[in-house]
Amino acid sequence: MHRDADAKLVQDCQNGDLHAFEVLIGKYERPVYNAALRMLGNTDDAADVTQTAFMKAFEKLEKYNPEYRFYSWIYRIVINESIDVLNQRKRSIELDETRLSGGRTPEGDTRDSELSAVMQEALMTVSEDYRTVIVLKHFMELSYREISETLEIPEKTVKSRLFTARQLLKDRLADKGLI
Amino acid sequence: MKDDRSIELIHAEIDGVLSGGEQDELAARLDAEPELVVLREELRKLSQTLQQVPSANPPVGLRARILESIRPRPRRSILASLVPSWPAPVALRYAGAAVFGAAVAAVALQIGTMDSADPADVRGLVGTIASYQTPGAPQGTIILNSQGINGSVGTYRQNGLVVLDFDLASDRAMEIIAEYRHSGLSFSGFAQLAGAAASLDAGDGRITFLPGRNHRYAVFFSASDQDSGTIELRFLADEQLVRSEILAVPAMDRK
């Protein structure tokens, strides 16, 4: 149902129905934003990347392959965009200290802020490949197969990365006394 | 011993994909190896902790921003007015064109007016030419939506011209440097379609212009050979680099 509903919306959009894309935005704005946020650790960058991801999806809608799930596609775009931003940060010769230190970190003003901040700090210490599978598995709640489809890598690689990522994250959080 | 199979089974259990037979296998392994029990407990705690991390609310107004960015806008194409083979624009507004180079000058004459300018001096050359037709999709597009720069840079190519179409808004004044490494490209013209007046410097392999905060400009290159190359765009604010992008320029196709 989920897949069919998305496929119909994409088809409507390809036929020029802009409202159909608005529905898709409404449906995926939050998960896409959260994926970006966990990849980047900064709310401003996450908002920018979310916007860019939807813009690119809209622009490339004609090339969208209906064999794939829409959310796999949009997640792939947001992950790739996030990695681009991370690479730009590395390349940047004029680093903005507030951005580097996380700027406005996720949920900075809520009661869950400590857990969220410690988790984000730990996530940022693992490589992008490992962070990506953690984000897709635990925050986007994708299956091995869906992660494999999203990242266009074999399921075996997904498992291998996920197991290593969990081990690393577990050790980081243990160091911080969170688990 | 924490062998690969045992570890795989523990992760599979956490992910809820363990079959009945595998569950029995894991139980046997856990009975035989106390270390595995510890690992399983640690990974379970990790999974539970990850589950407790709250989902964040997108910032207020983000959806409106996204919708605004995809909303169809009347694209004012300079290409439609400058390249003779494309359909004539529906409407033309002209406010002091200052383009030069054979191809561009010919079109400028076609639309009936052109300020004279010394071809050797391109400083301060600014023009506004607009129509409301877009002749086709850009061959390449860079989307910019970070570090205070929003919009896109599109690449068009037709009739021996390569055009970079800048449709950008920035939160401060911006300097844009275009360095091109392509033996077949030479600077051919510059036009301003919207926004405050800009100034321009052009030299071999490098163009620099100073637009305002909201602007739509196009930079024209004559393209004279079959080589491919790149154009590096650098965006500077307060003389500091805030963004750089590489545009690929494929070999020219004169069809």
Side-chain angles (χ1 to χ4, degrees):
Chain A
M1 286 295 288
H2 181 73
R3 185 174 185 168
D4 289 347
D6 285 356
K8 174 74 169 60
L9 288 167
V10 170
Q11 193 179 28
D12 289 348
C13 193
Q14 286 171 330
N15 291 330
D17 180 2
L18 189 59
H19 176 68
F21 199 73
E22 290 183 32
V23 176
L24 286 168
I25 293 171
K27 196 169 173 181
Y28 290 107
E29 178 196 17
R30 189 182 181 96
V32 166
Y33 172 75
N34 273 273
L37 187 56
R38 293 302 163 195
M39 287 299 294
L40 297 165
N42 178 285
T43 53
D44 293 338
D45 286 347
D48 286 344
V49 162
T50 302
Q51 182 179 352
T52 303
F54 279 110
M55 280 173 66
K56 287 200 169 175
F58 184 73
E59 286 169 359
K60 294 176 180 173
L61 214 53
E62 284 183 9
K63 294 178 183 171
Y64 168 73
N65 182 350
E67 296 283 312
Y68 292 91
R69 296 166 178 85
F70 177 78
Y71 62 80
S72 291
W73 189 56
I74 190 80
Y75 289 164
R76 179 159 70 239
I77 295 173
V78 76
I79 293 293
N80 287 339
E81 286 299 314
S82 298
I83 290 170
D84 282 352
V85 169
L86 292 168
N87 289 336
Q88 282 162 21
R89 282 186 194 169
K90 288 176 197 161
R91 285 201 306 263
S92 176
I93 57 168
E94 289 294 330
L95 297 175
D96 177 335
E97 291 299 326
T98 59
R99 284 181 119 77
L100 266 186
S101 62
R104 282 188 278 159
T105 51
E107 300 294 326
D109 301 325
T110 73
R111 300 178 74 184
D112 299 313
S113 62
E114 190 178 349
L115 171 63
S116 190
V118 173
M119 182 61 76
Q120 192 63 45
E121 207 175 306
L123 275 172
M124 298 308 283
T125 65
V126 302
S127 74
E128 288 152 18
D129 281 348
Y130 293 145
R131 202 183 314 153
T132 299
V133 289
I134 290 282
V135 167
L136 293 177
K137 181 70 199 165
H138 289 280
F139 295 104
M140 302 298 105
E141 299 179 346
L142 299 192
S143 66
Y144 298 148
R145 185 180 165 198
E146 289 167 332
I147 296 172
S148 160
E149 188 178 293
T150 300
L151 300 178
E152 296 180 312
I153 56 175
E155 262 190 64
K156 194 177 171 185
T157 308
V158 171
K159 288 183 190 175
S160 163
R161 282 189 195 172
L162 185 62
F163 300 170
T164 306
R166 282 174 172 160
Q167 185 67 42
L168 291 170
L169 198 59
K170 173 179 78 64
D171 292 345
R172 303 285 196 277
L173 293 173
D175 289 345
K176 293 171 187 295
L178 196 64
I179 59 172
Chain B
M1 195 178 83
K2 288 189 277 188
D3 61 284
D4 289 349
R5 176 64 180 162
S6 299
I7 289 170
E8 185 180 358
L9 289 171
I10 290 172
H11 283 281
E13 184 190 41
I14 287 167
D15 292 326
V17 293
L18 212 54
S19 68
E22 288 172 331
Q23 188 70 60
D24 294 341
E25 185 185 347
L26 176 60
R29 286 170 179 264
L30 290 169
D31 284 343
E33 185 52 68
E35 265 186 51
L36 285 180
V37 178
V38 175
L39 177 65
R40 179 204 204 192
E41 192 52 33
E42 288 174 344
L43 288 172
R44 273 181 169 176
K45 276 187 188 168
L46 171 68
S47 184
Q48 287 163 2
T49 307
L50 281 162
Q51 238 175 350
Q52 288 164 9
V53 176
S55 167
N57 290 318
V60 174
L62 177 59
R63 193 177 304 183
R65 264 173 62 189
I66 297 167
L67 290 171
E68 176 64 20
S69 67
I70 63 165
R71 185 174 55 81
R73 288 185 291 175
R75 297 281 297 178
R76 292 162 298 179
S77 172
I78 52 176
L79 299 178
S81 60
L82 288 173
V83 179
S85 65
W86 283 333
V90 173
L92 287 177
R93 287 188 295 111
Y94 175 80
V99 290
F100 76 97
V104 177
V107 180
L109 289 170
Q110 183 188 13
I111 63 174
T113 179
M114 176 181 172
D115 288 350
S116 61
D118 180 348
D121 178 13
V122 295
R123 289 164 192 268
L125 296 183
V126 172
T128 298
I129 305 169
S131 75
Y132 296 91
Q133 297 287 323
T134 301
Q139 290 176 311
T141 304
I142 294 174
I143 305 291
L144 301 160
N145 280 297
S146 64
Q147 291 151 354
I149 314 169
N150 289 281
S152 63
V153 182
T155 315
Y156 295 83
R157 199 177 59 186
Q158 181 102 0
N159 289 8
L161 285 178
V162 169
V163 184
L164 299 189
D165 185 341
F166 295 81
D167 189 356
L168 300 173
S170 57
D171 60 9
R172 58 210 137 150
M174 192 69 61
E175 180 181 22
I176 303 174
I177 298 171
E179 282 195 349
Y180 48 102
R181 298 176 185 85
H182 185 301
S183 60
L185 286 185
S186 57
F187 175 72
S188 184
F190 174 71
Q192 174 187 327
L193 286 95
S199 64
L200 176 82
D201 278 307
D204 284 345
R206 180 180 167 118
I207 295 163
T208 303
F209 63 104
L210 291 161
R213 288 159 48 125
N214 294 289
H215 41 274
R216 181 133 191 272
Y217 303 110
V219 176
F220 301 84
F221 299 90
S222 289
S224 59
D225 73 2
Q226 304 296 310
D227 295 337
S228 60
T230 58
I231 299 175
E232 181 181 3
L233 297 174
R234 295 203 299 275
F235 299 82
L236 296 92
D238 302 325
E239 299 183 344
Q240 304 291 337
L241 179 70
V242 292
R243 184 83 186 244
S244 68
E245 295 285 345
I246 304 281
L247 271 170
V249 180
M252 301 304 128
D253 179 359
R254 298 311 184 90
K255 291 176 185 173

